[in-house]
Amino acid sequence: MDTLLLGLHEISALNVLLAIVLGALIGVTIGSIPGLEPAGVMAILLPLTFSMEPLAGVSLLLGVYGGAWYGGAIPAILMNTPGTPVAVLTTYDGYPMAQRGQGKKALSIAYTSSFVGGLISIFSLVTLAPTLSQVALLFGSAEFAMLAALGMIFVVLAHRKHVVEAAMMLGLGIFLGTIGIDRSFSSQVYTFGEVWLLNGIPLVPAVIGLFAMSQAFVLLSQRGQDASRTKLEGEGMFAGVWILFKHKVTVIRSAALGVVMGLLPGVGEFGSQFFSYTLAQKFSKTPEQFGNGAEEGIIASETSNNAVTASVMIPLLAFGIPADALMAMLLAVFMVHNYIPGPTLFSERPEFIAGLYLSLLLMNIVVFLYLTFATRWIVNLTRIRGRFIGACILVLGFIGAYSQNYQFSDALIALGFAVFGYVLRRNDIPAVPIILGLVLGPVFLTRFRQAMGVADGDMSIFVSRPISLVLLALIVLSIGVFVASQLRSRSPSPVSQS
């Protein structure tokens, strides 16, 4: 109760409340505009959060993150165009309902499902993060090295159709993470005598370039979105509450899958949404309706992807390991304010942890109420032309990259990553592994070197310690299962042989 009161005191500050509301509104706006992703906007806002108080800065980014998943359902249902990548499956059943004049009903189901999924995700964060942080007390250098390696392996394997490309991008990110001063030997690594590379590749310009400015180039190279089809018809903006009660088993199953998938680096919303939708169709009494306006389809899609939003923070808070690029941005905010994720954060900053829980809860409430009553006006955002949005993002990206350290070299780094990110997008090559390699690569190398120093160069330290052995076994098992599945999919079936 004392911790809860401390958390209430933290979020009652005006700047924190404004950050929660502003982040939520920006997130909904971003999600409602097709072609604009929350990662890019979070990257632009990242330098701004460094000058804010820790809870306010984190709440602003989380508001954008969570609000975008809510707002992405609007164009997905009304235009058959997902506002965010994770709203793809929402189009399968949401758009057919809108064509039948049930657009409001479909949106109500989506909003209510997202709200319930968000609440369950917050509950999982409150219960699991402190427990796992105590487990982290048992971790040494060997365990953290294997945990970082496991996270990087999961990120690569999550891109099932582009594993080779993801592995190459991860390797590039790890290489970029080695640039700068090697503090173990006080020597320069790949700086080529350039002063601006002594501190390494800065994370913020890299994130802004890869996610925000590259998306701006994509928007500038295409026509703006045609919004003549966006119509909000039908009745029942509160119908979703009763429909969720009717399909409560689907809600619980989808939320549980979202929580579990959020714990796995690189899997997140896409994996949880796919499995939830598949299971919902399998156990449905009317599976033939899926893809033609099934209420359970929208519930499975929206509940699962919003159940990830808080559970994805569990590895970050408990171990200091970001599960995706968005969590890597949050980690940057933590580190700037000297808030080190892990067991010490829960014991030394309980008021911050409690405030974080409550800010997530308040963010979901604000977004749900805002969407329920303001959707009729929000749908007009889909009419903004893509080129105009791209131009604004490009300008803000340059400002954000420069404003971190007020160095022109940071803006040039962001531009270089933007061009590279644009090439990756055009060739359907994942960019997320680069950022996670840039963040987790130095963690792995540092911890691996420390473990080798403790063991006098004996590699058996990674198998002689139980937790490290389990993590190493998970790495081997994950790779083995993936290789086996690939071989099985490529082997000709008996029918084709005959």
Side-chain angles (χ1 to χ4, degrees):
M1 183 60 67
D2 292 338
T3 304
L4 178 62
L5 293 176
L6 288 172
L8 288 172
H9 180 265
E10 287 288 310
I11 68 166
S12 63
L14 181 60
N15 60 339
V16 177
L17 291 175
L18 287 176
I20 294 172
V21 175
L22 183 62
L25 298 185
I26 292 175
V28 170
T29 302
I30 298 309
S32 303
I33 302 176
L36 196 56
E37 298 181 9
V41 178
M42 289 177 65
I44 293 174
L45 293 175
L46 187 58
L48 175 64
T49 61
F50 293 159
S51 60
M52 302 170 65
E53 292 184 5
L55 183 58
V58 172
S59 298
L60 179 65
L61 295 183
L62 286 177
V64 175
Y65 176 52
W69 299 151
Y70 277 84
I74 296 176
I77 291 173
L78 300 181
M79 297 174 58
N80 200 26
T81 303
T84 55
V86 297
V88 172
L89 290 183
T90 305
T91 63
Y92 289 6
D93 297 286
Y95 185 62
M97 289 184 67
Q99 287 184 309
R100 296 199 300 260
Q102 297 178 319
K104 285 187 178 181
K105 180 181 179 181
L107 287 174
S108 177
I109 296 173
Y111 298 160
T112 310
S113 301
S114 299
F115 182 67
V116 173
L119 293 184
I120 295 176
S121 185
I122 295 170
F123 177 75
S124 70
L125 176 64
V126 174
T127 54
L128 294 179
T131 303
L132 291 179
S133 70
Q134 296 304 309
V135 176
L137 290 172
L138 305 174
F139 278 45
S141 298
E143 286 77 12
F144 277 111
M146 289 297 99
L147 186 61
L150 180 65
M152 291 188 289
I153 292 296
F154 274 0
V155 168
V156 171
L157 298 182
H159 298 85
R160 298 185 62 86
K161 297 181 180 180
H162 304 280
V163 169
V164 176
E165 295 93 330
M168 293 174 63
M169 294 303 102
L170 178 67
L172 176 61
I174 295 174
F175 165 72
L176 294 175
T178 63
I179 297 175
I181 298 292
D182 187 340
R183 304 192 183 279
S184 300
F185 302 99
S186 298
S187 59
Q188 298 185 26
V189 180
Y190 298 114
T191 60
F192 304 102
E194 298 291 338
V195 177
W196 56 279
L197 285 175
L198 291 178
N199 291 325
I201 300 296
L203 177 65
V204 175
V207 170
I208 290 176
L210 274 178
F211 294 103
M213 296 172 65
S214 65
Q215 180 63 27
F217 287 149
V218 172
L219 293 173
L220 288 170
S221 64
Q222 65 185 17
R223 293 183 177 182
Q225 296 292 338
D226 181 9
S228 61
R229 294 173 294 167
T230 46
K231 294 184 293 183
L232 188 62
E233 299 176 336
E235 300 294 336
M237 285 303 294
F238 293 95
V241 178
W242 313 113
I243 293 174
L244 256 67
F245 274 113
K246 186 171 67 173
H247 302 291
K248 51 184 175 292
V249 176
T250 302
V251 173
I252 296 173
R253 182 179 58 242
S254 301
L257 277 170
V259 169
V260 173
M261 294 295 179
L263 299 174
L264 304 177
V267 180
E269 296 88 355
F270 292 101
S272 66
Q273 196 179 55
F274 172 78
F275 285 113
S276 298
Y277 191 89
T278 303
L279 290 178
Q281 184 177 18
K282 182 178 181 180
F283 291 105
S284 174
K285 296 179 180 178
T286 55
E288 68 280 356
Q289 292 185 5
F290 279 71
N292 298 304
E295 298 171 350
E296 292 174 273
I298 301 177
I299 293 172
S301 173
E302 292 297 315
T303 303
S304 59
N305 65 42
N306 279 271
V308 174
T309 53
S311 67
V312 74
M313 296 184 64
I314 296 175
L316 176 65
L317 292 178
F319 303 105
I321 301 295
D324 55 26
L326 303 181
M327 292 303 104
M329 297 185 209
L330 287 185
L331 179 61
V333 180
F334 279 88
M335 302 304 287
V336 163
H337 295 285
N338 200 28
Y339 279 36
I340 310 300
T344 56
L345 185 63
F346 287 85
S347 58
E348 295 177 0
R349 303 283 185 179
E351 73 286 350
F352 173 79
I353 295 297
L356 182 61
Y357 297 155
L358 293 174
S359 69
L360 284 168
L361 175 62
L362 184 58
M363 180 271 292
N364 277 274
I365 295 174
V366 169
V367 173
F368 179 71
L369 293 177
Y370 174 62
L371 284 172
T372 300
F373 294 102
T375 296
R376 67 182 68 179
W377 299 290
I378 297 174
V379 295
N380 293 322
L381 293 172
T382 58
R383 303 184 180 185
I384 301 177
R385 293 183 63 85
R387 291 183 179 180
F388 175 77
I389 298 171
C392 293
I393 293 175
L394 201 59
V395 173
L396 293 174
F398 275 117
I399 294 174
Y402 175 77
S403 63
Q404 184 194 9
N405 297 312
Y406 299 101
Q407 293 181 355
F408 187 68
S409 60
D410 286 352
L412 292 179
I413 290 173
L415 179 60
F417 274 100
V419 174
F420 185 58
Y422 175 75
V423 174
L424 295 181
R425 287 176 183 269
R426 283 303 186 188
N427 293 277
D428 200 22
I429 299 175
V432 171
I434 298 177
I435 297 301
L436 291 182
L438 189 61
V439 174
L440 294 181
V443 174
F444 172 76
L445 295 174
T446 301
R447 294 293 189 172
F448 184 85
R449 186 179 296 152
Q450 291 174 351
M452 288 290 93
V454 171
D456 293 327
D458 186 1
M459 292 284 290
S460 64
I461 187 175
F462 295 107
V463 295
S464 60
R465 298 172 64 91
I467 298 179
S468 176
L469 178 61
V470 171
L471 294 173
L472 180 59
L474 286 175
I475 293 175
V476 175
L477 179 63
S478 301
I479 297 175
V481 170
F482 174 78
V483 171
S485 64
Q486 291 296 305
L487 293 176
R488 188 163 55 248
S489 63
R490 292 180 182 179
S491 61
S493 62
V495 176
S496 62
Q497 288 180 341
S498 60

